[in-house]
Amino acid sequence: MNFGSVSINEIITVTFTLFAVIDMVGNIPVLASLRTKMGGEIRSLQATIASGGLMILFLFIGRQFLNILGLDVQSFAVAGSIVIFIIGLEMVLGLEFFKPDSNPKSGSMVPIAFPLIAGSGTLTTIMSLKANYFDVNIFIGILINCIVIFVVLKSLKWIERMLGPNGMTVVRKFFGV
């Protein structure tokens, strides 16, 4: 990484692009229901480190990793979109595709860290950002988003209390669509 290439404008652009793709605000209802299914606990630090690690990994070796698996970026994006579609169906229709798992260790990794936070959209976006921005600026943007991810995960119970059951239902249906 070339630290001489640090640009505040690039960092802001990358940070907001990733913030929109990760969509932590839209994920609040999904995270709340997953927290309930996992026995009331999401390991915030573990999920943040895992998702941040995946994003940083894809920043540096994403294309090579997909090549090893025999995948192109488009196939990876379609597969991830199917998972996100299923999560959306669960939110809108009230169906249960992801079965309850009382082990917060596994739930913090799948489906929270991957594919919910660091899913195919996020990872594909990171690889696309490499075409226009320096790696150091993308790296800093990822770190800033990891802070947001941690804060949202850590304050999830508080957010649920503030919205209440009706507010959560409205947000769940709205962002499920």
Side-chain angles (χ1 to χ4, degrees):
M1 265 193 294
N2 181 4
F3 289 100
S5 304
V6 173
S7 163
I8 297 298
N9 289 337
E10 282 192 12
I11 292 169
I12 290 170
T13 302
V14 167
T15 299
F16 281 111
T17 301
L18 288 174
F19 181 80
V21 172
I22 294 170
D23 190 23
M24 281 307 288
V25 175
N27 284 333
I28 287 172
V30 178
L31 292 167
S33 68
L34 287 172
R35 186 183 64 75
T36 303
K37 290 178 186 179
M38 292 178 353
E41 180 187 350
I42 291 177
R43 300 183 78 189
S44 307
L45 185 60
Q46 181 185 22
T48 303
I49 290 171
S51 59
L54 276 171
M55 289 187 273
I56 292 167
L57 182 72
F58 262 72
L59 171 62
F60 295 113
I61 61 166
R63 201 165 301 279
Q64 295 89 336
F65 179 70
L66 291 179
N67 287 340
I68 290 170
L69 296 176
L71 296 171
D72 59 7
V73 175
Q74 294 80 11
S75 300
F76 183 68
V78 169
S81 299
I82 291 169
V83 173
I84 300 301
F85 175 71
I86 292 170
I87 291 171
L89 280 176
E90 185 177 82
M91 290 170 66
V92 173
L93 301 176
L95 300 173
E96 189 172 280
F97 295 105
F98 291 106
K99 301 300 178 199
D101 184 2
S102 59
N103 184 356
K105 289 182 180 178
S106 65
S108 295
M109 295 298 291
V110 177
I112 294 174
F114 180 82
L116 205 56
I117 296 170
S120 63
T122 304
L123 301 177
T124 305
T125 299
I126 288 169
M127 290 190 298
S128 299
L129 288 170
K130 285 180 63 98
N132 298 317
Y133 302 101
F134 289 105
D135 286 356
V136 67
N137 298 319
I138 300 170
F139 182 78
I140 294 169
I142 289 170
L143 293 180
I144 292 169
N145 273 280
C146 284
I147 293 168
V148 172
I149 290 165
F150 180 76
V151 168
V152 170
L153 290 175
K154 202 66 171 161
S155 59
L156 195 56
K157 288 180 185 177
W158 179 82
I159 293 169
E160 284 182 83
R161 278 196 310 271
M162 292 301 295
L163 289 174
N166 292 336
M168 286 298 289
T169 301
V170 169
V171 172
R172 180 177 288 115
K173 300 289 184 192
F174 179 77
F175 282 103
V177 173

